[in-house]
């Protein structure tokens, strides 16, 4: 949030806020906020009264989930089996992998240190069941206490875990409250008591989770893991180094992926190439598509553009291949339904009758390619903006975004809206062509608000034969500089039938003694 | 210029009472029209007459011969018809217009008005109509409501008179209109520099020619000057709920819709000069003035009497006989005769009869009531039973209530029990009918906080910034955000956008935002009220309000009666009932034994928790110094701790004189009469006014204007003139300048919060009554207070504690003993706390209080009704209760949580376990055959750990907001003692000026507006309460602790004055986390509690958690600063109530 410039005061405590039951409440806090005695769940006004300097941003669960997903993604460096444990956890299956990182303790230290370096506070725990790992990561005390040796017997396990609070079982708040009211707060409180009376008063999850914690029941882990929807992978005995080789592999991976996608009637909207270096480093390149993609060539080209852009930014080298890559993976991270006919025009090559859709696809591809090379934000299209100020009525918006939302711009409709809003036969209110900036003209006109009688524009003198106006447009006081003046626009037709859009700048007397005149547009 | 006729009247002026549309006050529009030399102005708000009285008042005060104000409304139809301005020609037509609007209001929910074109046709007689170009009806006018009420609503463009393709629609509409109002229909033409201004104008001309209707020039003004354009745009943004950047085309393109001069309008309409002249012809047809509305009060004839006056005289004499059973004294006779004569002269008898009847109704229903305010100056009101204070006895002057010179209606305010006021209100509706009686409105205006909030949103400032800005304002301030406060909130007030927002917010302050219902002001009319003012539905069911507020009514001389709600009356009535039931003593406000020394002794000790008015911290610290000995001392006590005297710095001089530390002297001989009763120090509103008259040479009506100028907000300009006049006037008469300035300051304070003497006297009677009850029957008093909650200054916990300290036993809530209300049962009085030992002989209580179910949070009376009804000889088990009373398990859980099963031998934990063990569905006990059997499977004993007492206490607070078992702080005493934190009762043993520390639950934080930002903190430990003073500097440094702590430790110097002990805070610590020790879970074993950390981990880019902590003093308790999971605890324990 600080990075986004939300906080002007760098020392101010930070919080996210969410609307809960109609009241603004703190959702989460940074360390400063917590140190000042603020707590999640507090009403915002109360918190503000205590600390007027508190900086807030609306909680964004989607962004938080996304961040968590990114972290989970990043965690695949440790194991391919990384899963989300929303809202705040990540579960890694490191069976048989810990030794690669110098044992469990150093794996744990490595995870925590690397995440901390990225600015995340993380607590890692290792145990032989997901339930136990879940519990220890959150309630397991100091670092060494958060590793549960697989060799403990039942009694030792009960001793080790008995002191954990029942919240460590991941139970719902109502169950926890009911148990606390009965004086049952720790795992041992349950373990030492008869099952029947407690089970009769609680939801069955209690004992299920308890058994999971103690390793008596193995909670199935697979549903908790997510893998990319569609993925193709190639392994090499010797690491490959050259960019051409890599790009060639990507093309062949793209063919595999394309078949996979076609079989499911999907196209890729977000793609990722992962390059796994022999020494363990992973490089990722992501590319988005503005339409569901399936064409291997297009996919490969996207990444070629990405590498090209990366190498420009990085002294001519797209990536540091080091001793080479031994695994290359191409994954479709996001997919979308794709109609078969549209695919036809590429794959089967029915060139007649599909010109229109071909064009649309070409345009989308062009936007993607330009976007991949120049940056998505720098490929723009014109869009309407609701304002009275003529030069701001049109703005440039990212083209990909438009394609995204299905806001295809229909130039014909646009022109109609601008030009023919009024009845047929009369001059439209806005010119077909707006000059990039108003050009000063010399005009003779009556005060205070009369039309121009004749004017000189680009050294040519025009006699006004007919006019309409004035249309008075005052400056947008809240964003333009204060010196901006009110304009009186006229639609003027000269003696030769040419039609112009001119304006007087400044109200006579009240704003200026000598209004100036400008040419701002031409009618057809 | 040629000799074109210059006269012009702007007839389409929209004020800011067209909420969020008009950008100028009605007064501003009228003033601008006058200043620009117009012939007149027509005020026409959207389906409303809410702003017209203000325009009228202004025009009347600045009346000139050649300016006319036209009163009308802009009718906005929901069926697509163009807006039509309707101006009534005479009183009858005005009545038709208000009925039309009332009808539209009655169809819609609060705030909207749904009219159809056909409605206007029915009301068109006597109206002059101006047809605008198009309809402006939109979502905000209730388009959605309209669609549900009128599914048949036609195409919105049907009547669009400007629509080229629909000339037929326009002609048809105009034809129908002409039939209904022949010769009184005009077509409006505007020249506001729009996109197609000339084209539209041409079309308008053509339409006029085709329909033979005259064209009338207007500027469709929405502001008085073009400078209001920014505010106008902001209002639009607020209305649309979108920031300025985004609503673009919904804003006006320019600033042309303001009041223009006649010359400018003539120039604009040079193509159609007759449109300008028509405005004058239009104005000439109007003869109606709002002054015609006066004097439409019901006749109030009483059977058997020829006139209302005769009836009033009879009731007054009867009442006098009742008030003075030993014979009516001569001076009372004289007063009555004098007052009756004046009432007859001013023809107010019906009004008094109305109030008399309402009070009679309340008495019949045994609803306690008492008049307040200036009515207490009237012997007549006293004899009629409207007030309870004998004005003759207290030397109060009737002329302060009604005077022929002031020529304004009397204003009688009557308080009723807050729980039963609705009965009185419904009686008034039934008696007079909804067409004749209605509540007055109160105009909700923008205050600093709401203005900055809305303007901030319009500017697209983030919630965060807006929140920060509005939170720099404490309470209901009406002054703008200060630059300093802005900086403190981390914002730069010079940044352009922010500066603009702040400036516009300031401009917006005082703008009406919407109409709300007044707390209890009733207007009653002889004929139909809806022919005087539009009536609308209030937010509450069964209530209607008119569109005018009390100032509007005052200005028009329309009588109103304030039917107010007062919690203490509820409490007193309940207390009287308890005393009669349990002690056989029948009491009323009037028959209470007067002037008992024991009562004053108690008050002088500041033993006043629960007593009306004098229970606040500020009042309590005053009592031992003032030592009231007689009723009039109470009157002063009530009036003195008010912003007026405090701002005027009159309190300390009075106290010094009262304590005989300073001789009583008078600023002058002439003021001796005025200030004699108050030892030469002005304390009451009347005295301040009187000083202006006697010492500064004001006329009585000027003095009254002065008071009004202070009371009504944002009448800039006038105040400075008044101040100069008063101060200079007094200096010229040889008064000291500083005294003069203090007097003026006091009037400023009185403006909004002043107490006239009579009002203070009425309130003082309730002070005495409640104090008497507390002194004699603390059991009945506490019980009545508990049953009247929420009210007053203290929470039930303090009321109960105070009762216990006075020797009253209090029993915990129990399923076998409690009723919905708290009750009194036989018991014995214990010895009172040593602190109250002197009262031992005064207390007559012999009962104990059984806490009622109403004290349990989250339970309803309906739930408990079967429990009580079916209880019989009592319940013998949870199961028995479940089966017999058929309570839902969730209700049973709440009862168990409230520890209400002790009579069954079950404590909270056991009861909850039992409730949760009821097999909730398909239990065999449900089968009718087995219902009587008590057999059930024996289940294994779960051997639950016993609940520690500390946890019980916390749970008591969670469910009941109080605990009879122990005080939470008691559990921490050992640890507190180690740190040399004293018990609050130990403070009394200290010397003035030493340093000491106390700790307790925060009960009240009070920041009186008049105390220069000082905060008074009341905290409570197991031995009593302690009072902490926090100076603003210390507060700013310790803000989070002072405002956030539930349990606080405060250290500082002890200050003892006249037996009142304060600690002046120097350091403080939030000890709330220590309270987690009370619950069964003894800490978290040194492990990091997950909640705090988990939240931290959830955020990306969290700053290094090693960031420096807030720099405060070293902590007393290491574990009190650990990031403990105390959020839950903070919710359960009292947070302390904040009073501004």
């Amino acid at each position: 949030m600080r990075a986004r410039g939300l906080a002007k005061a760098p020392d101010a405590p930070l919080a996210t806020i969410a609307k809960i039951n109609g009241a603004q409440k703190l959702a989460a806090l940074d360390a400063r906020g917590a140190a000042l005695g603020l707590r999640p769940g507090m009403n915002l006004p109360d918190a503000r009264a205590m600390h007027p300097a508190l900086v807030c941003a609306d909680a964004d669960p989607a962004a938080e989930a996304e961040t968590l997903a990114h972290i989970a993604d990043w965690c695949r460096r440790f194991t391919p089996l990384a899963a989300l444990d929303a809202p705040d956890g990540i579960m890694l299956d490191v069976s048989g992998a810990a030794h690669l990182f110098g044992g469990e303790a150093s794996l744990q230290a490595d995870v925590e240190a690397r995440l901390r370096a990225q600015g995340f506070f993380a607590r890692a725990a290792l145990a032989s069941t997901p339930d136990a790992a879940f519990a220890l990561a959150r309630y397991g005390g100091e670092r060494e206490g958060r590793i549960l040796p697989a060799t403990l017997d039942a009694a030792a396990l009960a001793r080790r875990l008995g002191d954990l609070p029942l919240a460590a079982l991941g139970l719902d708040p109502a169950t926890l409250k009911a148990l606390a009211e009965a004086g049952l707060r720790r795992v041992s409180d349950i373990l030492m008591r008869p099952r029947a009376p407690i089970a009769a008063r609680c939801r069955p999850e209690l004992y299920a989770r308890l058994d999971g914690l103690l390793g008596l029941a193995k909670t199935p882990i697979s549903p908790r893991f997510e893998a990319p929807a569609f993925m193709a992978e190639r392994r090499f005995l010797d690491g490959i180094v050259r960019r051409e080789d890599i790009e060639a592999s990507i093309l062949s991976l793209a063919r595999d992926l394309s078949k996979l996608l076609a079989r499911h009637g999907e196209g890729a909207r977000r793609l990722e190439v992962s390059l796994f270096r022999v020494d363990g480093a992973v490089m990722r390149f992501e590319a988005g598509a503005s339409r569901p993609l399936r064409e291997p060539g297009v996919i490969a080209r996207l990444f070629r553009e990405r590498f090209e852009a990366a190498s420009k930014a990085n002294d001519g080298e797209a990536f540091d291949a080091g001793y080479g890559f031994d695994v290359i993976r191409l994954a479709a991270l996001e997919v979308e339904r794709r109609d078969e006919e549209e695919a036809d025009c590429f794959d089967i090559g029915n060139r007649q009758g599909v010109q229109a859709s071909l064009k649309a696809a070409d345009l989308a591809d062009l936007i993607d390619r330009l976007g991949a090379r120049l940056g998505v934000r720098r490929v723009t299209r014109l869009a309407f903006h609701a304002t009275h100020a003529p030069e701001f009525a049109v703005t440039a918006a990212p083209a990909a975004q438009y394609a995204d939302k299905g806001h295809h711009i229909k130039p014909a409709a646009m022109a109609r809206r601008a030009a023919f809003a009024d009845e047929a036969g009369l001059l439209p209110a806005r010119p077909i062509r707006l000059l990039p900036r108003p050009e000063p003209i010399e005009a003779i006109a009556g005060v205070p608000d009369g039309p121009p009688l004749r004017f000189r524009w680009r050294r040519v003198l025009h006699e006004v034969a007919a006019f309409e106006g004035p249309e008075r447009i005052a400056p947008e006081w809240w964003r333009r500089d204060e010196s901006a003046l009110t304009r009186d626009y006229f639609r003027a037709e000269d003696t030769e039938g040419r039609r112009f859009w001119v304006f007087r700048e400044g109200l006579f007397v009240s704003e200026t003694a000598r209004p100036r005149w400008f040419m701002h547009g031409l009618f057809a | 210029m040629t000799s074109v006729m210059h006269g012009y009247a702007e007839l389409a002026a929209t004020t800011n009472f067209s909420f969020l549309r008009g950008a100028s006050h009605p007064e501003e529009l009228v003033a601008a029209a006058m200043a620009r030399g117009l012939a007149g102005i027509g005020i026409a708000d959207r389906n409303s007459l809410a702003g017209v009285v203000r325009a009228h008042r202004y025009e009347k005060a600045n009346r000139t011969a050649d300016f006319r104000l036209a009163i009308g409304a802009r009718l906005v139809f929901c069926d697509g018809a163009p807006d039509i301005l309707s101006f009534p020609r005479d009183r009858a037509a005005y009545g038709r217009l208000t009925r039309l609007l009332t009808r539209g209001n009655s169809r819609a929910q609060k705030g909207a008005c749904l009219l159809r074109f056909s409605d206007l046709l029915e009301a068109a007689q006597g109206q002059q109509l101006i047809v605008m170009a198009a309809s402006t009806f939109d979502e905000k006018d209730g388009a959605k409501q309209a669609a549900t009420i009128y599914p048949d609503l036609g195409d919105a463009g049907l009547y669009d008179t400007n629509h080229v393709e629909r000339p037929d629609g326009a002609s048809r509409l105009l034809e129908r209109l002409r039939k209904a109002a022949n010769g009184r229909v005009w077509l409006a033409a505007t020249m506001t520099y729009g996109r197609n201004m000339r084209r539209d104008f041409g079309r308008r001309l053509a339409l006029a020619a085709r329909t033979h209707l005259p064209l009338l020039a207007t500027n469709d003004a929405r502001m008085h000057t073009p400078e209001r354009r920014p505010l106008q745009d902001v209002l639009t943004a607020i209305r649309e709920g979108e920031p300025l950047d985004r609503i673009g085309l919904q804003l006006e393109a320019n600033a042309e819709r303001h009041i223009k001069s006649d010359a400018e309008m003539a120039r604009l309409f040079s193509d159609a000069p007759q449109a300008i002249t028509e405005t004058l012809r239009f104005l000439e047809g109007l003869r109606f003035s709002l002054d015609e509305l006066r004097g439409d009060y019901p006749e109030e004839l009483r059977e058997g009497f020829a006139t209302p006056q005769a009836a009033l005289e009879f009731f007054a004499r009867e009442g006098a006989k009742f008030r003075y059973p030993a014979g009516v004294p001569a001076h009372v006779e004289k007063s009555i005769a004098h007052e009756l004569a004046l009432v007859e002269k001013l023809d107010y008898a019906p009004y008094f009869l109305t109030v008399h009847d309402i009070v009679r109704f309340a008495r019949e229903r045994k609803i306690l009531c008492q008049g307040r305010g200036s009515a207490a100056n009237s012997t007549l009101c006293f004899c009629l039973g409207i007030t309870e204070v004998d004005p003759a006895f207290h030397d109060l002057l009737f002329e302060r209530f009604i005077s022929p010179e002031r020529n304004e209606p009397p204003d009688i305010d009557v308080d009723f029990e807050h729980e039963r006021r609705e009965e009185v209100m419904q009686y008034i509706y039934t008696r007079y009918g909804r067409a004749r009686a209605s509540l007055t409105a109160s105009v909700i205006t923008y205050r600093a906080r709401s203005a900055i909030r809305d303007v901030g949103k319009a500017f697209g400032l983030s919630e965060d910034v807006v929140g920060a800005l509005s939170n720099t304002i404490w309470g209901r301030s009406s002054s703008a955000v200060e630059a300093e406060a802005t900086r403190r909130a981390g914002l730069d007030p010079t940044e352009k956008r922010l500066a603009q927002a702040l400036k516009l917010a300031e401009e917006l302050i005082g703008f009406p935002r919407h109409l709300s219902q007044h707390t209890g002001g009733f207007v009653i009319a002889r004929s139909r009220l809806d022919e005087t003012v539009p009536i609308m539905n209030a937010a509450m069911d069964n209530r209607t309000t008119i569109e005018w507020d009390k100032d509007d009514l005052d200005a028009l001389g329309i009588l109103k009666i304030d039917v107010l709600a007062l919690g203490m009356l509820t409490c007193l009535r309940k207390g009287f009932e308890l005393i009669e039931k349990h002690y056989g003593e029948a009491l009323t406000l009037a028959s209470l034994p007067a002037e008992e020394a024991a009562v004053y002794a108690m008050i002088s000790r500041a033993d006043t928790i629960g007593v009306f008015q004098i229970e606040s911290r500020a009042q309590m610290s005053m009592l031992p110094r003032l030592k009231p000995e007689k009723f009039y001392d109470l009157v002063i006590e009530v009036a003195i701790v008010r912003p007026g005297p405090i701002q005027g710095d009159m309190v300390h001089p009075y106290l010094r004189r009262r304590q005989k530390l300073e001789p009583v002297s008078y600023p002058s001989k002439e003021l001796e009469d005025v200030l004699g009763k108050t030892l030469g120090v002005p304390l009451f509103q009347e005295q301040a006014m009187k000083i202006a008259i006697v010492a500064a040479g004001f006329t009585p009506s000027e003095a009254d204007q002065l008071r009004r100028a202070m009371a009504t907000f944002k009448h800039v300009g006038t105040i400075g003139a008044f101040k100069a006049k008063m101060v200079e006037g007094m200096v010229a008469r040889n008064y000291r300048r500083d005294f003069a300035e203090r007097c003026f300051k006091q009037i400023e304070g009185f403006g909004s919060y002043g107490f006239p003497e009579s009002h203070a006297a009425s309130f003082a009677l309730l002070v005495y009554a409640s104090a008497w009850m507390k002194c004699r029957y603390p059991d009945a008093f506490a019980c009545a207070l508990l049953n009247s909650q929420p009210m007053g200054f203290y929470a039930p916990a303090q009321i109960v504690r105070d009762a216990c300290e006075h020797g009253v036993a209090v029993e915990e809530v129990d399923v076998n003993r409690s009723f919905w209300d708290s009750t009194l049962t036989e018991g014995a009085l214990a010895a009172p706390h040593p602190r109250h030992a002197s009262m031992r002989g005064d207390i007559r209580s012999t009962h104990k209080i059984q806490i009622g179910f109403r004290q349990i949070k989250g339970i309803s009376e309906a739930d408990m009704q079967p429990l009580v009804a079916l209880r019989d000889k009592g319940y013998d088990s949870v199961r028995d209760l479940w089966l017999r009373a058929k309570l839902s398990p969730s209700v049973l859980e709440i009862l168990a949580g409230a520890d209400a099963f002790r009579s069954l031998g079950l404590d909270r934990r056991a009861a909850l376990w039992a409730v949760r063990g009821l097999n909730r569905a398909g239990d065999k006990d449900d089968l009718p055959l087995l219902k009587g059997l008590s057999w059930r499977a024996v289940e294994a004993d779960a051997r639950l750990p016993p609940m520690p007492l500390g946890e019980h206490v916390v749970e008591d607070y969670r469910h009941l907001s109080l605990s009879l078992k122990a005080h939470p702080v008691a559990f921490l005493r050992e640890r507190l003692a180690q740190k040399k934190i004293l018990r609050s009762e130990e403070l009394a043993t200290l010397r003035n000026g030493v340093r000491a520390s106390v700790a307790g639950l925060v009960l009240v934080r009070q920041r009186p507006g008049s105390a220069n930002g000082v905060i008074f903190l009341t905290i409570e430990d197991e031995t009593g309460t302690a009072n902490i003073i926090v100076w603003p500097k210390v507060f700013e440094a310790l803000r989070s602790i002072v405002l956030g702590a539930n349990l606080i430790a405060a250290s500082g110097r002890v200050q003892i004055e006249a037996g009142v002990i304060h600690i002046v805070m120097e350091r403080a610590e939030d000890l709330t986390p220590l309270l987690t020790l009370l619950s069964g879970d003894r800490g978290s074993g040194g492990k990091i509690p997950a909640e705090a950390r988990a939240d931290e981990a959830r955020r990306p880019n969290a700053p290094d958690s090693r960031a420096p902590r807030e720099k405060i003093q070293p902590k007393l308790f290491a574990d009190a600063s650990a990031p403990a999971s105390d959020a839950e605890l903070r919710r359960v324990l009292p947070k302390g109530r904040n009073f501004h």
Side-chain angles (χ1 to χ4, degrees), chain A residues 207-471:
Chain A
Y207 282 100
R209 296 301 295 263
L210 195 64
D211 290 347
L213 180 71
L214 298 176
L216 299 174
K218 203 70 162 178
T219 325
I221 50 171
S222 42
R224 297 166 89 162
F225 290 82
E226 71 153 18
F230 299 94
M231 190 178 99
E233 199 176 272
R234 189 137 306 176
R235 286 168 190 277
F236 306 93
L237 276 174
D238 296 315
I240 57 168
V241 179
R242 297 190 323 146
R243 206 168 108 193
E244 303 85 274
D245 296 345
I246 292 165
E247 285 173 1
S249 329
I250 290 175
L251 181 62
S252 91
L253 286 172
R255 289 205 189 93
D256 298 348
L257 190 68
S258 176
K259 279 180 208 136
L260 218 57
L261 289 166
R263 203 176 307 146
H264 291 86
E266 307 272 14
R269 289 299 306 268
R270 205 153 61 81
L271 291 146
E272 183 195 63
V273 163
S274 317
L275 305 175
F276 294 81
R277 216 161 60 183
V278 197
D279 61 354
V282 188
M283 266 148 240
R284 287 167 206 286
F285 295 89
E286 220 184 285
S290 48
R291 64 182 181 94
L293 262 195
R294 210 188 283 162
E295 297 71 32
V298 180
I299 293 175
R301 200 161 59 217
L302 273 184
F303 284 102
R304 209 150 53 230
E305 304 283 1
R306 284 286 285 118
F307 293 153
E308 194 59 41
S311 75
K312 280 234 178 72
N314 200 16
D315 291 336
E317 234 185 318
F319 36 71
D320 176 11
Y323 296 107
F325 301 102
D326 56 355
V327 181
I328 298 183
R329 188 191 288 159
L330 173 67
L333 302 177
E334 247 175 59
V335 296
E336 199 177 291
R337 293 296 312 167
R338 175 166 154 175
D339 297 337
E340 279 316 312
E341 313 88 274
E342 206 183 325
D344 280 349
C345 72
F346 285 94
D347 294 351
I348 303 167
N350 177 5
R351 279 166 201 282
Q352 310 288 252
V354 290
Q355 285 300 319
S357 73
L358 193 67
K359 263 190 197 149
D362 279 349
L363 182 59
D365 287 343
L366 179 68
I367 291 169
D368 293 343
R369 286 177 56 201
L370 290 172
R373 182 180 278 249
L374 304 170
V376 178
R377 306 220 131 256
R378 294 167 69 184
V379 186
T380 59
R381 279 174 161 173
L382 292 182
F384 263 129
H385 181 69
T387 171
H388 290 293
E391 55 265 65
F392 300 103
V394 169
T395 57
Q401 193 180 321
Y402 258 89
D404 248 15
K405 291 179 181 164
H407 285 207
H408 288 287
I409 299 171
K410 300 183 185 81
M414 235 171 106
R416 209 167 30 246
R417 205 162 132 204
F420 304 108
D422 286 290
E423 318 83 74
L426 288 170
L427 204 56
R430 290 285 179 271
I432 296 297
R433 183 164 169 235
L434 197 70
L435 299 180
R437 62 191 52 208
E439 298 176 9
I441 55 175
E442 293 160 32
I444 296 176
V447 288
D449 55 7
L453 303 173
R454 70 182 64 88
F455 61 87
R456 188 184 297 279
W457 176 49
R458 293 185 181 170
R459 277 180 273 166
V460 178
L461 191 69
H462 299 268
E463 287 286 335
V464 175
F467 76 95
E468 261 198 280
E471 174 186 354

Side-chain angles (χ1 to χ4, degrees), chain B residues 625 986-994 1053-1064:
Chain B
R625 291 188 256 178
E986 290 173 285
L987 293 179
T989 64
L990 299 179
R991 276 178 302 109
N992 201 359
V994 300
R1053 283 191 193 280
V1054 174
Q1055 192 183 71
I1056 305 176
E1057 202 185 336
V1060 183
I1061 306 169
H1062 283 104
I1063 286 192
V1064 182

